[in-house]
């Protein structure tokens, strides 16, 4: 019953925000960068539901509490990106997002790998915030190794 409730909640949350976070084609292009780091990227539009706002709030809190030193020295980066703004069009295209999405990216030697955590975020950020925060922290810690 709990799984059915979570699945229904996830579907309703995704429908309210427009979808599942990313189109399902290809991989994002690789860009050159100078510093190895882990980025937590929260994409959102102008209009957001309660779950979308919980994703940003809880991801930012988790990263800020657990990785304060890394945020200061730039080895961890948290960015909230409004995809409704023209200046963010290029990055939205890169990750193929068209609605609220959460990505965790690792930059190593100028190459990027990333993981789409959107489904996990919608399933947990609002209804199980501690579980969500723990999952984000685990992912960032794993990528920092």
């Amino acid at each position: 019953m709990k799984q059915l409730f979570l699945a229904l909640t996830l579907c309703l949350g995704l429908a309210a925000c427009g979808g599942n976070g990313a189109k399902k084609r290809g991989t994002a292009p690789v860009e050159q960068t100078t510093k190895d780091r882990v980025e937590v990227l929260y994409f959102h539009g102008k209009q957001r539901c309660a779950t979308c706002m919980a994703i940003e709030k809880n991801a930012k809190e988790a990263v800020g509490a657990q990785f304060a030193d890394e945020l200061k020295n730039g080895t961890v980066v948290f960015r909230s990106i409004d995809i409704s703004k023209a200046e963010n069009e290029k990055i939205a295209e890169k990750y193929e997002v068209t609605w609220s999405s959460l990505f965790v990216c690792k930059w190593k030697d100028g190459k990027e790998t990333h993981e789409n955590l959107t489904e996990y975020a919608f399933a947990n950020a609002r209804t199980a915030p501690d579980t969500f925060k723990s999952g984000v922290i685990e992912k960032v810690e794993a990528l920092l190794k």
Side-chain angles (χ1 to χ4, degrees):
M1 185 69 167
K2 185 176 180 181
Q3 289 177 340
L4 177 62
F5 176 74
L6 284 174
L8 187 56
T9 302
L10 177 61
C11 290
L12 290 173
L14 291 174
C17 295
N20 70 353
K23 298 177 213 168
K24 302 288 187 207
R25 60 181 158 88
T27 58
V30 175
E31 290 182 5
Q32 291 290 24
T33 186
T34 57
K35 183 171 178 107
D36 292 350
R37 65 190 180 280
V38 173
E39 294 183 339
V40 179
L41 305 177
Y42 169 64
F43 296 91
H44 64 88
K46 194 182 219 179
Q47 184 174 338
R48 297 192 273 170
C49 67
T51 302
C52 296
M53 290 184 282
I55 293 169
E56 179 180 24
K57 175 185 174 286
N58 290 321
K60 188 173 186 176
E61 283 178 8
V63 171
Q66 190 70 26
F67 303 105
D69 291 339
E70 293 85 350
L71 285 166
K72 286 179 188 167
N73 69 28
T75 56
V76 173
V77 175
F78 179 88
R79 291 176 57 196
S80 182
I81 302 161
D82 184 344
I83 61 173
S84 69
K85 294 184 176 180
E87 65 264 23
N88 295 324
E89 184 176 319
K90 189 173 183 176
I91 193 167
E93 286 177 4
K94 174 185 175 187
Y95 292 96
E96 299 181 326
V97 297
T98 56
W99 40 74
S100 291
S101 304
L102 183 67
F103 282 77
V104 179
C105 313
K106 179 176 183 164
W107 288 91
K108 179 80 173 161
D109 299 324
K111 296 185 178 166
E112 179 196 25
T113 57
H114 63 263
E115 187 169 338
N116 185 344
L117 297 182
T118 303
E119 286 187 34
Y120 175 78
F122 270 92
N124 294 290
R126 193 169 128 225
T127 58
D130 291 337
T131 299
F132 172 70
K133 289 177 181 180
S134 294
V136 170
I137 290 167
E138 277 181 36
K139 180 54 67 179
V140 172
E141 285 176 338
L143 294 177
L144 283 171
K145 293 180 183 180

